[in-house]
Amino acid sequence: MTLTGNWSYPTAIRFGAGRIAELADACAQVGISRPLLVTDKGLASLPITSATLDLMDAAGLGRAIFADVDPNPTEVNLAVGLDVYRAGDHDGVIAFGGGSGLDLGKMVAFMSGQTRPVWDFEDIGDWWTRADPTGIAPIIAVPTTAGTGSEVGRASVITNSRTHVKKIIFHPRVLPSVVITDPELTVGMPKAITAGTGMDAFAHCLEAYCSPHYHPMSQGIALEGMRLVKDHLSRAYADGTDLEARAHMMSAAAMGATAFQKGLGAIHALSHPIGAVYNTHHGTTNAVVMAEVLKFNRPAIEDRLALAAAYLGLDGGYAGFCSYVDTLCSDLRIPKNLTALGVTDPDLDQLTEMALADPSVGGNPVEMTSVGTRALFEACL
């Protein structure tokens, strides 16, 4: 099988090894002539970023870059990025990197022509209609990890630097117009990042699959996404140069982000406040709390996960699925609990309140109460 394709679900995706070479053509397709490449601090000096800037420069697109992006990007990062965008008279954004670079790049493009503060566009009701659609610059997304799937998402997660609360900013036109998914860009990912981002993709698929909402298309995508992770994450972790495994993991990441239109749940409701307060890696945090959430949700998901286990070739139904998750996390050297992750002496009342305010709670198959959520945090410690 040749791992190359041109896809249009949920947006135009140029998928395959070496396709970063098509970046200039993608810019021309969406009318970008003066792009700003937005990435995170860790990627700014890496060879893949330099090579991408060289491609831009050779095509007459310049080599403008903004990389003052934290692992959990904030409105402070956004304000500085907007200043750079406007000062450079840019006409589009290349969002480049993992979740942080992609999310902030999308927000720079979205906010470039808005007059209201970013928090006015939080994913609450129809708040997205407050935005001026003519003020949204075109976006090209280039993922360099296989985790968040933000390249195919209509929203970004931005942390409020004052309250330490993660907010989801949504608009349909935040969905990038073109995505270039090139597994060669992920070859240099450290093992810990390969593991954490891969478990993020798995968490997206798992929670979407378990969500009680009705969305059969997302259900099917989530199930196959979990299979891709099962078959390929350990391979990518063991051998970072395995392009086939890297490619399938990038597909799984995009599938997870597409599937969670159906909903997320307690995994993300817990990991969002932990990441915001303790600045932990999002995907790794998801993996740390996953086993306890599966136990918490067992009454509502046991039969469903038995079907998933059968599809994935796992014996033992629900118990076999949970055993597989435990083994996978152990093999990937995921911390055993939140304490091992670095969360010490937490304010459980604060974390519980933040979790219950997170939009993900609405997709959990078991109702999240104050007592139950606090107990869940305690179990994860």
Side-chain angles (χ1 to χ4, degrees):
M1 182 184 300
T2 301
L3 297 178
T4 303
N6 296 318
W7 303 331
S8 296
Y9 183 74
T11 189
I13 303 172
R14 303 186 184 199
F15 187 100
R19 298 199 70 174
I20 189 61
E22 301 175 25
L23 182 58
D25 182 69
C27 285
Q29 178 183 332
V30 298
I32 298 176
S33 59
R34 299 180 306 280
L36 176 65
L37 186 143
V38 178
T39 192
D40 61 67
K41 297 172 182 175
L43 275 176
S45 60
L46 294 186
I48 56 171
T49 308
S50 299
T52 301
L53 292 170
D54 289 343
L55 286 171
M56 293 165 53
D57 203 10
L61 298 171
R63 50 187 314 116
I65 180 173
F66 172 71
D68 190 11
V69 180
D70 294 323
N72 291 296
T74 68
E75 84 285 4
V76 176
N77 300 149
L78 176 58
V80 179
L82 285 169
D83 287 344
V84 172
Y85 182 90
R86 291 162 179 159
D89 193 29
H90 296 291
D91 61 357
V93 168
I94 298 170
F96 186 92
S100 55
L102 294 174
D103 275 7
L104 197 83
K106 288 157 57 177
M107 281 297 98
V108 168
F110 171 66
M111 290 296 295
S112 63
Q114 307 304 320
T115 58
R116 304 177 68 139
V118 67
W119 308 129
D120 280 5
F121 308 110
E122 187 179 350
D123 189 16
I124 297 174
D126 64 352
W127 284 19
W128 65 271
T129 61
R130 298 169 171 177
D132 176 3
T134 65
I136 304 173
I139 305 165
I140 294 171
V142 182
T144 64
T145 66
T148 69
S150 182
E151 66 273 12
V152 295
R154 296 166 174 83
S156 290
V157 179
I158 303 295
T159 300
N160 186 312
S161 63
R162 183 180 60 83
T163 63
H164 302 291
V165 174
K166 290 190 174 187
K167 299 288 188 177
I168 298 172
I169 311 301
F170 168 84
H171 193 280
R173 289 189 58 185
V174 168
L175 180 69
S177 298
V178 178
V179 178
I180 297 178
T181 303
D182 184 342
E184 291 182 351
L185 300 178
T186 70
V187 165
M189 268 198 298
K191 281 183 175 290
I193 301 300
T194 297
T197 55
M199 289 304 295
D200 194 23
F202 188 77
H204 291 161
C205 292
L206 172 60
E207 292 213 284
Y209 179 76
C210 292
S211 167
H213 302 313
Y214 180 72
H215 199 323
M217 291 180 288
S218 288
Q219 188 86 348
I221 292 168
L223 186 60
E224 177 64 5
M226 284 192 284
R227 186 193 68 79
L228 289 177
V229 174
K230 175 181 177 290
D231 290 351
H232 300 287
L233 176 54
S234 293
R235 280 176 51 183
Y237 180 79
D239 178 7
T241 65
D242 185 337
L243 273 183
E244 181 181 54
R246 291 289 196 190
H248 284 306
M249 282 305 302
M250 295 191 88
S251 290
M255 292 165 74
T258 301
F260 71 56
Q261 296 176 37
K262 183 171 177 279
L264 291 171
I267 291 174
H268 279 77
L270 267 60
S271 71
H272 281 157
I274 292 166
V277 175
Y278 295 95
N279 205 33
T280 57
H281 182 269
H282 173 66
T284 305
T285 310
N286 282 343
V288 169
V289 304
M290 188 175 293
E292 292 299 332
V293 171
L294 288 174
K295 294 176 187 176
F296 179 82
N297 286 333
R298 180 172 184 169
I301 65 173
E302 184 168 3
D303 292 344
R304 182 169 294 187
L305 283 187
L307 295 174
Y311 182 78
L312 298 176
L314 300 170
D315 295 329
Y318 165 85
F321 186 97
C322 293
S323 177
Y324 162 72
V325 169
D326 289 342
T327 300
L328 178 61
C329 287
S330 178
D331 290 346
L332 298 176
R333 300 183 182 275
I334 299 294
K336 296 292 185 182
N337 49 50
L338 290 177
T339 304
L341 187 64
V343 179
T344 58
D345 194 26
D347 183 339
L348 291 180
D349 290 334
Q350 178 197 32
L351 290 177
T352 298
E353 182 180 352
M354 294 171 71
L356 292 174
D358 191 273
S360 301
V361 297
N364 199 63
V366 171
E367 182 182 1
M368 295 182 69
T369 64
S370 180
V371 172
T373 302
R374 196 180 197 280
L376 191 50
F377 273 118
E378 290 175 339
C380 292
L381 290 168

